[in-house]
mmCIF file of all heavy atoms in Angstrom:
data_model
loop_
_atom_site.group_PDB
_atom_site.id
_atom_site.type_symbol
_atom_site.label_atom_id
_atom_site.label_comp_id
_atom_site.label_asym_id
_atom_site.label_seq_id
_atom_site.Cartn_x
_atom_site.Cartn_y
_atom_site.Cartn_z
ATOM 1 N N MET A 212 6.553 -0.596 -15.931
ATOM 2 C CA MET A 212 6.002 -1.613 -16.850
ATOM 3 C C MET A 212 4.680 -2.137 -16.304
ATOM 4 O O MET A 212 4.523 -2.271 -15.082
ATOM 5 C CB MET A 212 6.995 -2.766 -16.981
ATOM 6 C CG MET A 212 6.537 -3.855 -17.926
ATOM 7 S SD MET A 212 7.709 -5.217 -18.028
ATOM 8 C CE MET A 212 8.759 -4.675 -19.331
ATOM 9 N N MET A 213 3.737 -2.391 -17.191
ATOM 10 C CA MET A 213 2.508 -3.084 -16.768
ATOM 11 C C MET A 213 1.913 -3.820 -17.969
ATOM 12 O O MET A 213 2.256 -3.504 -19.116
ATOM 13 C CB MET A 213 1.496 -2.105 -16.154
ATOM 14 C CG MET A 213 0.828 -1.172 -17.122
ATOM 15 S SD MET A 213 -0.447 -0.143 -16.328
ATOM 16 C CE MET A 213 0.522 0.926 -15.295
ATOM 17 N N PRO A 214 1.042 -4.798 -17.722
ATOM 18 C CA PRO A 214 0.408 -5.518 -18.838
ATOM 19 C C PRO A 214 -0.521 -4.579 -19.614
ATOM 20 O O PRO A 214 -1.279 -3.822 -19.004
ATOM 21 C CB PRO A 214 -0.409 -6.619 -18.146
ATOM 22 C CG PRO A 214 0.115 -6.707 -16.751
ATOM 23 C CD PRO A 214 0.609 -5.337 -16.408
ATOM 24 N N MET A 215 -0.446 -4.637 -20.933
ATOM 25 C CA MET A 215 -1.249 -3.771 -21.801
ATOM 26 C C MET A 215 -1.865 -4.620 -22.923
ATOM 27 O O MET A 215 -1.395 -5.723 -23.211
ATOM 28 C CB MET A 215 -0.369 -2.697 -22.443
ATOM 29 C CG MET A 215 0.270 -1.742 -21.476
ATOM 30 S SD MET A 215 -0.890 -0.438 -21.020
ATOM 31 C CE MET A 215 0.196 0.632 -20.068
ATOM 32 N N MET A 216 -2.850 -4.027 -23.610
ATOM 33 C CA MET A 216 -3.515 -4.770 -24.689
ATOM 34 C C MET A 216 -4.188 -3.786 -25.640
ATOM 35 O O MET A 216 -4.767 -2.791 -25.185
ATOM 36 C CB MET A 216 -4.574 -5.684 -24.061
ATOM 37 C CG MET A 216 -5.318 -6.583 -25.018
ATOM 38 S SD MET A 216 -6.486 -7.658 -24.119
ATOM 39 C CE MET A 216 -5.382 -8.822 -23.353
ATOM 40 N N TYR A 217 -4.117 -4.054 -26.938
ATOM 41 C CA TYR A 217 -4.884 -3.245 -27.885
ATOM 42 C C TYR A 217 -6.371 -3.573 -27.702
ATOM 43 O O TYR A 217 -6.745 -4.729 -27.481
ATOM 44 C CB TYR A 217 -4.437 -3.532 -29.328
ATOM 45 C CG TYR A 217 -5.155 -2.662 -30.329
ATOM 46 C CD1 TYR A 217 -5.181 -1.290 -30.188
ATOM 47 C CD2 TYR A 217 -5.834 -3.219 -31.408
ATOM 48 C CE1 TYR A 217 -5.872 -0.477 -31.084
ATOM 49 C CE2 TYR A 217 -6.513 -2.424 -32.322
ATOM 50 C CZ TYR A 217 -6.531 -1.045 -32.144
ATOM 51 O OH TYR A 217 -7.219 -0.255 -33.028
ATOM 52 N N MET A 218 -7.207 -2.553 -27.825
ATOM 53 C CA MET A 218 -8.633 -2.718 -27.494
ATOM 54 C C MET A 218 -9.301 -3.837 -28.305
ATOM 55 O O MET A 218 -10.147 -4.565 -27.779
ATOM 56 C CB MET A 218 -9.378 -1.402 -27.695
ATOM 57 C CG MET A 218 -10.839 -1.460 -27.302
ATOM 58 S SD MET A 218 -11.108 -1.820 -25.559
ATOM 59 C CE MET A 218 -11.134 -0.195 -24.840
ATOM 60 N N ASP A 219 -8.941 -3.997 -29.578
ATOM 61 C CA ASP A 219 -9.586 -5.050 -30.378
ATOM 62 C C ASP A 219 -9.397 -6.426 -29.735
ATOM 63 O O ASP A 219 -10.291 -7.273 -29.788
ATOM 64 C CB ASP A 219 -9.018 -5.081 -31.809
ATOM 65 C CG ASP A 219 -9.588 -3.964 -32.659
ATOM 66 O OD1 ASP A 219 -10.129 -2.991 -32.083
ATOM 67 O OD2 ASP A 219 -9.479 -4.046 -33.898
ATOM 68 N N ASP A 220 -8.207 -6.644 -29.159
ATOM 69 C CA ASP A 220 -7.979 -7.911 -28.456
ATOM 70 C C ASP A 220 -8.838 -7.987 -27.190
ATOM 71 O O ASP A 220 -9.374 -9.054 -26.858
ATOM 72 C CB ASP A 220 -6.494 -8.070 -28.094
ATOM 73 C CG ASP A 220 -5.681 -8.663 -29.254
ATOM 74 O OD1 ASP A 220 -6.264 -9.380 -30.092
ATOM 75 O OD2 ASP A 220 -4.461 -8.402 -29.315
ATOM 76 N N GLY A 221 -8.973 -6.855 -26.494
ATOM 77 C CA GLY A 221 -9.825 -6.836 -25.290
ATOM 78 C C GLY A 221 -11.272 -7.153 -25.628
ATOM 79 O O GLY A 221 -11.962 -7.870 -24.898
ATOM 80 N N ILE A 222 -11.736 -6.624 -26.767
ATOM 81 C CA ILE A 222 -13.131 -6.880 -27.182
ATOM 82 C C ILE A 222 -13.288 -8.346 -27.605
ATOM 83 O O ILE A 222 -14.271 -9.011 -27.259
ATOM 84 C CB ILE A 222 -13.533 -5.932 -28.345
ATOM 85 C CG1 ILE A 222 -13.425 -4.471 -27.905
ATOM 86 C CG2 ILE A 222 -14.928 -6.268 -28.872
ATOM 87 C CD1 ILE A 222 -14.245 -4.068 -26.704
ATOM 88 N N LYS A 223 -12.281 -8.848 -28.333
ATOM 89 C CA LYS A 223 -12.330 -10.259 -28.746
ATOM 90 C C LYS A 223 -12.401 -11.159 -27.497
ATOM 91 O O LYS A 223 -13.205 -12.098 -27.444
ATOM 92 C CB LYS A 223 -11.088 -10.603 -29.580
ATOM 93 C CG LYS A 223 -11.048 -12.057 -30.070
ATOM 94 C CD LYS A 223 -9.990 -12.226 -31.151
ATOM 95 C CE LYS A 223 -8.616 -12.525 -30.606
ATOM 96 N NZ LYS A 223 -8.329 -13.937 -30.391
#
Side-chain angles (χ1 to χ4, degrees):
M212 181 181 271
M213 72 175 69
M215 297 278 187
M216 183 177 286
Y217 183 53
M218 183 62 90
D219 283 18
D220 275 334
I222 300 302
K223 180 166 87 88

